[in-house]
Amino acid sequence: MNMNLTLIGQSIAMIVFVLFCMKYIWPPIVNALETRRKNIADGLAAASESGLKLEQAEKEAAEMVGSARQQASEIVEQANRRAVQIVEEARNDAIGERERQVAAAASDIEQEVNRAREELSGKVAALAVAGAEQLLGREINADAHTDLLDKLAAEL
Amino acid sequence: MASEGETQTAGEYIVHHLQNLTFGRHPDGTWGFAHGAEEAANMGFMAIHVDTMFWSVFLGVIFCWLFRKVAKNIEAGVPGKLQNFVETIVEFVDNNVRDAYHGDSKLIAPLALTIFCWVFLMNLMDLVPVDWIPGLVHLAGVEYQKVVPTTDVNATMGMALTVFVLILGYSLKMKGVGGFVGELAGQPFAAKSLVGKILATPINLILEGVALLAKPVSLGLRLFGNLYAGELIFILIALLGIWQLPLHFGWAVFHLLVITLQAFIFMMLTVVYLSQASEHH
């Protein structure tokens, strides 16, 4: 084995390669690894955080659904009550209206009867006068007997 | 299987495969390629293994190019396949460095990554069948070619020495000259009296000095030894004719573990040594 200049040449080559590696190879690679490690750690943290948030949101949503359901049932109940009330009112109105109609019809009928009766009594008076004329054969003085005839008509 | 085509003994074949392509100064003062092991040895220190340097730099550039390509277009979002692959390696190295080194240093982790990938790639050349590349370059007229840089003790010791310089630098920077020398002189035998200190210091210096020097030597020689032995076995298997096929496959599978493990060990020991250097005992 000859020891010779190769020894020094090899040393120089090694120093050059080490310096190159130190300056141009090691820092970018290690930086990238570090950055990636950090990114992954951040991602994992964000994922667990969003999991917590999701859980919370689900709880909130369940609460909201529950209260909405309660509200809805309240509203339905209210509406039912109101509907019953409206039906009741309508029935009362209808009954009132019917009574009013019946009363109006009754008064109409009464008026009509009165009128017919008056007319009839007038006609009866005239008929009685005409009959009496026939019977007596002479003319009754209408003016002289008006009082008598009116009294008769009122009695009818 | 001697791709050279000439009649060659097994011994010559092995020696030829273990010879680096050496460019250096001949004893007569001229520069040129060495023809044979003896000429290379005569060049002494003023020579360079062209094949080792070429393949190690080539593989280092591949590493830098591939990782730079990913680093330039990297994004923190969903990674692509290549980015995933590179990130896996970077995270693997980063985790190991974090476990072993507790200080705050911008150098250690990139150093570990470079060592791991570079040594792995250099070791990986061991899995290329031993005659392919040498055979090809022989056709181009190049006499010797050793394609696994980590089977060259110069390459592994060159890296180990760089690490050693870093160990010394970190020790001095973190502990100061006094702290570093005190650590070498005041351990493992701690004395309280002046006489005791005078007696203990030389022994401590010898023991700690050996321990300190053993770090780069063991670091470099461990890698070299493992890969050299593995390469040698590949060469021996290549001598076996048709039987080399199953054997080569078996050894290559086993060697996959070795090359990865050795790259990892080189990286981890570097980190551990530097961690020791920057911590007070």
Side-chain angles (χ1 to χ4, degrees):
Chain A
M1 282 303 110
N2 316 315
M3 300 302 284
N4 56 29
L5 285 175
T6 314
L7 198 70
I8 294 163
Q10 190 77 8
S11 300
I12 294 169
M14 178 173 170
I15 290 166
V16 170
F17 290 140
V18 169
L19 286 179
F20 182 85
C21 178
M22 198 171 125
K23 217 166 165 55
Y24 298 109
I25 293 174
W26 189 264
I29 294 179
V30 168
N31 282 343
L33 290 178
E34 199 51 50
T35 311
R36 186 180 310 144
R37 216 189 309 271
K38 207 177 149 294
N39 284 350
I40 291 172
D42 289 352
L44 288 177
S48 70
E49 198 182 332
S50 64
L52 283 179
K53 271 185 186 160
L54 178 66
E55 214 169 290
Q56 206 175 349
E58 271 172 357
K59 212 186 289 175
E60 268 172 26
E63 271 171 24
M64 280 163 94
V65 167
S67 73
R69 196 167 287 157
Q70 200 180 339
Q71 251 171 12
S73 69
E74 268 171 25
I75 288 170
V76 167
E77 201 181 327
Q78 230 166 25
N80 280 340
R81 231 180 301 151
R82 179 93 188 107
V84 170
Q85 203 180 347
I86 286 170
V87 167
E88 200 64 33
E89 274 173 10
R91 181 180 293 150
N92 289 345
D93 281 358
I95 290 171
E97 183 69 23
R98 190 190 63 184
E99 281 170 356
R100 215 167 43 240
Q101 297 273 4
V102 167
S107 76
D108 275 2
I109 291 167
E110 202 173 340
Q111 266 176 8
E112 205 68 21
V113 167
N114 284 344
R115 207 157 38 94
R117 185 177 290 160
E118 272 170 24
E119 203 178 286
L120 202 61
S121 65
K123 277 185 180 160
V124 167
L127 203 64
V129 171
E133 267 177 1
Q134 294 271 325
L135 232 62
L136 296 177
R138 58 172 175 124
E139 209 168 310
I140 297 169
N141 187 0
D143 294 333
H145 297 98
T146 302
D147 288 347
L148 187 76
L149 288 172
D150 280 350
K151 211 181 278 174
L152 192 71
E155 272 173 24
L156 286 170
Chain B
M1 51 168 272
S3 63
E4 285 76 16
E6 306 145 8
T7 50
Q8 201 179 24
T9 66
E12 279 166 357
Y13 177 77
I14 293 170
V15 168
H16 184 265
H17 267 282
L18 292 179
Q19 176 58 42
N20 281 105
L21 179 64
T22 313
F23 182 85
R25 192 173 63 185
H26 291 294
D28 59 10
T30 58
W31 289 77
F33 284 103
H35 303 286
E38 203 178 322
E39 261 185 53
N42 286 337
M43 285 174 176
F45 193 76
M46 292 308 285
I48 191 157
H49 293 158
V50 179
D51 45 3
T52 300
M53 285 312 299
F54 171 77
W55 288 109
S56 61
V57 170
F58 174 71
L59 294 167
V61 166
I62 284 184
F63 156 70
C64 286
W65 168 76
L66 185 71
F67 276 60
R68 177 62 193 159
K69 194 176 128 180
V70 170
K72 212 160 53 179
N73 302 319
I74 198 159
E75 49 190 49
V78 181
K81 280 176 185 160
L82 181 64
Q83 187 183 333
N84 236 332
F85 169 72
V86 165
E87 278 174 6
T88 309
I89 297 173
V90 169
E91 277 207 306
F92 167 72
V93 172
D94 196 32
N95 286 337
N96 278 304
V97 170
R98 272 177 215 281
D99 286 345
Y101 186 83
H102 302 298
D104 185 35
S105 171
K106 283 191 162 53
L107 174 66
I108 305 285
L111 173 74
L113 175 69
T114 311
I115 286 177
F116 180 66
C117 295
W118 194 27
V119 171
F120 177 79
L121 285 175
M122 291 195 284
N123 291 353
L124 196 65
M125 294 301 288
D126 219 357
L127 295 182
V128 179
V130 289
D131 278 317
W132 281 12
I133 296 171
L136 274 177
V137 299
H138 189 79
L139 291 179
V142 179
E143 203 173 347
Y144 298 104
Q145 191 70 220
K146 236 174 115 180
V147 295
V148 192
T150 40
T151 57
D152 183 353
V153 72
N154 287 291
T156 61
M157 284 311 291
M159 290 189 285
L161 285 179
T162 313
V163 172
F164 185 57
V165 170
L166 281 174
I167 292 173
L168 294 181
Y170 266 80
S171 297
L172 291 175
K173 190 180 148 199
M174 298 291 179
K175 298 164 188 165
V177 180
F180 185 45
V181 173
E183 209 164 76
L184 289 179
Q187 284 179 336
F189 302 111
K192 289 211 170 66
S193 65
L194 187 65
V195 182
K197 274 184 180 163
I198 290 170
L199 280 174
T201 300
I203 301 170
N204 285 343
L205 277 178
I206 291 171
L207 288 173
E208 284 292 307
V210 168
L212 185 67
L213 288 176
K215 285 176 183 174
V217 173
S218 65
L219 190 63
L221 289 186
R222 176 184 300 107
L223 180 60
F224 163 70
N226 275 286
L227 270 293
Y228 189 80
E231 172 80 346
L232 198 57
I233 290 176
F234 273 125
I235 295 171
L236 290 175
I237 288 172
L239 285 167
L240 290 178
I242 193 70
W243 287 107
Q244 69 175 285
L245 294 174
L247 277 172
H248 183 278
F249 177 76
W251 181 240
V253 169
F254 178 67
H255 211 57
L256 261 178
L257 291 176
V258 175
I259 62 179
T260 317
L261 191 66
Q262 288 304 321
F264 178 69
I265 288 174
F266 201 99
M267 174 192 89
M268 276 321 281
L269 283 179
T270 303
V271 175
V272 169
Y273 289 157
L274 290 175
S275 162
Q276 285 175 353
S278 42
E279 276 169 13
H280 291 272
H281 293 294

